[in-house]
Amino acid sequence: MDTLHTLFYFIVAIAVLVAFHEFGHFWVARKVGVKVIRFSIGFGKPLLAWRKSAEDTEFVIAAVPLGGYVKMVDEREEAVKEADLPFAFNRQPLWARTAVVAAGPLFNLLLAVLLFWAVLVIGEVGVKPLIGGVEPGSLAEQAGLIKGEEIVAINEKTTPTWIETFDVLLSAAIVGQREISITTKSADDSRQTHILQLTDQDAATPEGLHKRLGLKPWSPKIKPVVGKLMEDGVAKQAGLQTGDLLVNADGVDISDWQQWVDYVQARPEIAINLTIERSGVRSLLSLTPRREQQKDGTSIGKIGAGVETPQDVLDSLLVKHSLSPLDAVPAAFERTWFYAVNTLKMMGKMLVGSASVENLSGPISIAQYAGQSADMGLTAFLKFLGLVSVSLGVLNLLPVPVLDGGHLLFFAVEAVKGSPVPEKLQIYFQQVGMVLLMLLMALAMFLDIDRLFQ
């Protein structure tokens, strides 16, 4: 069921992003007078196809939902009827061809603006970025951050939730910023500015930075009552049920849920004798946490159980951040610009080797993120779509043959020299670009599979 859930939202995400991208090409092509033969979502055998008449555009939904294309009348691809020659793509002026090609990635960036606007208007619910602890010797301690402070901004960008805080912080670090300004607020409402100093090693991967940062979110002491249980988790298999009160483990009294989490994580594959209370009756059971390998090589124990959090505790932790429809417009453009610039910087860092290629995500990772964000709610899924749409737009604008940016590069050369780049030369560079793109996809897929086994 989880796999079907993930697959469904992955297909929804890809369909939306590809449809908007290809619609950009299609809409501008029609506006500048280019005849469009086919508008396809997906590749391979058509599952659905329709058009008004033989002379109209054919709209297709194909079997492989990993992309799409717009096929236009073009003498370079096949013979064109004499009546259609004025509407051929290759016969259009340079400005028109440039507009058609650029429209796809630009529509992805426009879609990101719309999605981020919707997220800002609907509002994001998250945990307040209250500092619950600072590990000794960590980057956070060196920056002067202390327990009890609330982080209100990173590099003057407002961070109302922990997710936004870590998102902005990691983005700034990974794209090369080595001095990051953190604005905090104390209990008396006074504000302080801390400077976080980073090295290249600190910012090599998000996981490494998160560990070296040494920040612990504040959390209240929650009664150790079992809430959600994973179907294939150790806890459920051992007989734990929702509502069970955890009394002690191996004779050690359990006072709050975090104590239990720490106890379990420290004991991978070590049996724990647990005393529980259910409906006023105490009983004993035994469970052995599964070992889960972390990226830094360490292991932790996990049992597949979550805590039952009282509503008043949730209310004290959560905050909703939203803007009016008018105020959300510039904020959506700012957010899109922020992620686009950071995506471009990240690609540059990976190209020169100063950022790890482990930051690449392939189709498996994207599918997992799609399913996870959908589980978190509408705003989380819309934000996920916005982030991927930005990445898709920026990626397609890169001057790599095969991508839209490669065609734009050819057009730029044509504008300078006054004539098109020779077709044989274009084909050669497109073949090179295809090889590079396939290698990149293979690397992303390899990293995806490696993450699965981890």
Side-chain angles (χ1 to χ4, degrees):
M1 184 60 70
D2 286 343
T3 301
L4 291 175
H5 170 87
T6 297
L7 183 60
F8 172 77
Y9 282 104
F10 173 65
I11 292 174
V12 169
I14 294 299
V16 170
L17 298 173
V18 169
F20 220 82
H21 179 97
E22 299 303 337
F23 179 74
H25 292 310
F26 169 78
W27 187 77
V28 174
R30 294 287 292 268
K31 289 295 181 183
V32 300
V34 176
K35 184 175 180 179
V36 179
I37 300 171
R38 175 179 289 180
F39 181 113
S40 178
I41 303 300
F43 299 109
K45 183 179 179 180
L47 300 178
L48 291 173
W50 67 96
R51 58 181 169 187
K52 291 181 180 179
S53 69
E55 294 299 316
D56 287 320
T57 302
E58 180 186 31
F59 295 92
V60 172
I61 296 177
V64 184
L66 295 178
Y69 62 92
V70 170
K71 183 178 181 181
M72 293 169 272
V73 172
D74 194 324
E75 292 174 279
R76 297 170 301 174
E77 296 182 1
E78 60 186 8
V80 176
K81 294 185 295 185
E82 187 171 348
D84 286 338
L85 288 177
F87 311 110
F89 175 80
N90 63 293
R91 293 205 175 195
Q92 304 308 310
L94 181 60
W95 70 265
R97 286 178 280 137
T98 300
V100 171
V101 172
L106 292 179
F107 265 55
N108 275 126
L109 296 176
L110 175 60
L111 174 61
V113 171
L114 295 174
L115 290 167
F116 290 142
W117 177 86
V119 168
L120 290 165
V121 171
I122 296 170
E124 292 183 87
V125 177
V127 178
K128 295 176 185 176
L130 292 169
I131 300 174
V134 178
E135 293 182 5
S138 65
L139 296 172
E141 185 186 55
Q142 294 168 19
L145 293 165
I146 59 176
K147 180 180 179 180
E149 289 184 315
E150 179 180 352
I151 299 173
V152 295
I154 305 288
N155 288 342
E156 300 184 355
K157 182 175 175 60
T158 303
T159 53
T161 66
W162 267 119
I163 290 179
E164 191 74 12
T165 297
F166 282 121
D167 191 14
V168 175
L169 182 59
L170 292 173
S171 295
I174 291 173
V175 299
Q177 293 186 33
R178 295 298 172 256
E179 289 190 355
I180 299 174
S181 171
I182 302 178
T183 304
T184 60
K185 182 175 68 174
S186 301
D188 61 1
D189 218 31
S190 61
R191 299 199 173 203
Q192 298 82 33
T193 299
H194 308 268
I195 301 299
L196 187 68
Q197 303 277 357
L198 302 176
T199 64
D200 290 343
Q201 185 179 7
D202 293 330
T205 64
E207 294 80 11
L209 178 58
H210 191 278
K211 186 175 181 179
R212 290 183 173 89
L213 189 60
L215 272 181
K216 293 182 178 179
W218 179 82
S219 61
K221 289 189 178 296
I222 301 175
K223 194 175 181 180
V225 176
V226 177
K228 185 176 181 180
L229 291 165
M230 293 178 62
E231 287 297 326
D232 59 347
V234 168
K236 187 159 188 176
Q237 292 173 359
L240 275 176
Q241 296 179 15
T242 299
D244 285 349
L245 173 65
L246 310 182
V247 179
N248 68 62
D250 299 326
V252 178
D253 289 342
I254 303 171
S255 59
D256 65 86
W257 184 262
Q258 188 58 49
Q259 179 192 356
W260 169 242
V261 171
D262 295 340
Y263 195 86
V264 169
Q265 289 186 345
R267 290 163 175 77
E269 297 180 353
I270 298 175
I272 298 173
N273 295 313
L274 184 65
T275 301
I276 66 168
E277 184 176 305
R278 181 183 301 161
S279 301
V281 179
R282 293 194 175 188
S283 58
L284 297 173
L285 56 83
S286 178
L287 54 78
T288 303
R290 286 178 183 160
R291 181 181 297 275
E292 184 172 289
Q293 194 80 12
Q294 304 298 291
K295 285 195 173 183
D296 61 2
T298 60
S299 297
I300 62 172
K302 285 206 171 182
I303 62 169
V307 67
E308 183 176 86
T309 308
Q311 189 59 46
D312 60 330
V313 174
L314 279 176
D315 293 341
S316 69
L317 287 172
L318 300 180
V319 61
K320 183 173 183 178
H321 174 67
S322 62
L323 297 175
S324 69
L326 191 60
D327 290 338
V329 173
F333 275 98
E334 179 187 351
R335 185 173 286 195
T336 302
W337 175 256
F338 172 79
Y339 287 123
V341 170
N342 282 350
T343 298
L344 195 57
K345 286 181 178 179
M346 169 64 78
M347 290 176 178
K349 293 282 182 182
M350 286 192 288
L351 186 63
V352 299
S354 59
S356 173
V357 293
E358 288 187 9
N359 292 295
L360 281 174
S361 293
I364 297 175
S365 290
I366 294 172
Q368 290 174 331
Y369 297 148
Q372 290 166 6
S373 63
D375 285 340
M376 294 168 66
L378 176 62
T379 53
F381 186 61
L382 293 179
K383 187 174 182 179
F384 160 77
L385 288 177
L387 290 170
V388 181
S389 194
V390 168
S391 298
L392 190 59
V394 172
L395 177 66
N396 272 282
L397 284 172
L398 295 178
V400 178
V402 177
L403 299 177
D404 293 327
H407 293 291
L408 295 175
L409 178 62
F410 290 146
F411 293 157
V413 172
E414 180 179 343
V416 171
K417 66 190 287 283
S419 60
V421 175
E423 190 171 340
K424 286 186 177 180
L425 194 59
Q426 288 191 44
I427 293 173
Y428 171 75
F429 279 114
Q430 285 175 353
Q431 290 172 340
V432 172
M434 179 63 75
V435 171
L436 293 175
L437 193 60
M438 294 300 292
L439 289 173
L440 183 65
M441 291 174 64
L443 175 60
M445 182 65 78
F446 171 79
L447 292 171
D448 273 358
I449 294 171
D450 184 54
R451 291 185 192 109
L452 283 179
F453 282 103
Q454 287 182 358

